[in-house]
Amino acid sequence: MIYYLTAGVLCAPDEAQPLARIRGCLCGAEKQVFDRDNSLLLRTDIRLLSPAAQAVPAKEYVMYGPDGSELAVAKPRCSAGDDPAAASCPVCRMPRADEAVLTMEGREYTLVMENVQNYVLTDAQGRCAVRIIHKGMTGGWKLDVSQPLPPSLLCGLFIFCRYLEKENEFVVV
């Protein structure tokens, strides 16, 4: 199934009404996803595993349900040659992160950032579950979904993609 996400609004081609909306909070990384009736479906945030550390392995991306229960957790991983545990940390920059191990609905997936415009979610067998593609000059995103997921989880997955992208931004002080 194909979905389109533009300006934080998830739509299906055959639906007149939006399926879900993403809204950011004033400060921090928290985002919220609402349905067409403006009811909270889920919220996302970045959880630090170690209060002192800001490095990639010390973070988790978390989706919470409206009742506060965890719906999904993604653990970002460093790129193949940038993992400080395997090699020394690059001197001129922070290690790059280009994938995350995602646990959602009791199943494990891998979210891979191919580049800043293409993301792929694969299941444990390596099959593509969701492909997220930027639509270029027209703006917005196309979500090609091959395994059924609710619209709220698709929005949460998109937010995780944006969190992963931010891991690689250059910090200016």
Side-chain angles (χ1 to χ4, degrees):
M1 172 121 195
I2 303 291
Y3 296 93
Y4 295 99
L5 186 70
T6 305
V9 178
L10 182 69
C11 297
D14 55 345
E15 295 271 336
Q17 293 282 330
L19 301 173
R21 296 178 192 277
I22 299 172
R23 293 189 191 143
C25 294
L26 287 175
C27 59
E30 182 179 338
K31 305 268 187 225
Q32 298 173 332
V33 178
F34 295 89
D35 67 2
R36 53 179 78 161
D37 298 328
N38 215 23
S39 300
L40 180 67
L41 296 172
L42 63 85
R43 66 181 184 84
T44 65
D45 206 352
I46 298 174
R47 177 169 53 203
L48 295 178
L49 301 175
S50 170
Q54 291 289 325
V56 171
K59 296 179 185 177
E60 290 181 331
Y61 312 146
V62 186
M63 269 187 238
Y64 298 100
D67 59 352
S69 62
E70 287 186 5
L71 300 175
V73 177
K75 297 178 182 180
R77 293 195 296 203
C78 293
S79 300
D82 281 1
D83 189 358
S88 62
C89 199
V91 175
C92 60
R93 61 178 168 73
M94 291 296 292
R96 290 185 44 83
D98 61 0
E99 66 180 47
V101 176
L102 176 73
T103 305
M104 176 172 57
E105 297 182 331
R107 293 179 292 209
E108 192 169 286
Y109 297 90
T110 303
L111 177 63
V112 177
M113 179 174 67
E114 294 178 335
N115 55 47
V116 294
Q117 296 184 348
N118 296 299
Y119 299 87
V120 177
L121 181 72
T122 56
D123 62 15
Q125 289 77 34
R127 295 181 304 234
C128 178
V130 180
R131 182 173 292 278
I132 301 174
I133 304 161
H134 191 264
K135 290 176 25 184
M137 295 295 286
T138 59
W141 299 82
K142 175 182 167 185
L143 287 77
D144 186 359
V145 181
S146 57
Q147 294 182 10
L149 290 172
S152 59
L153 288 181
L154 291 174
C155 287
L157 179 63
F158 175 76
I159 295 167
F160 282 4
C161 292
R162 304 304 282 180
Y163 287 164
L164 190 59
E165 183 180 332
K166 288 210 174 280
E167 296 290 346
N168 299 316
E169 287 183 352
F170 183 69
V171 178
V172 179
V173 180

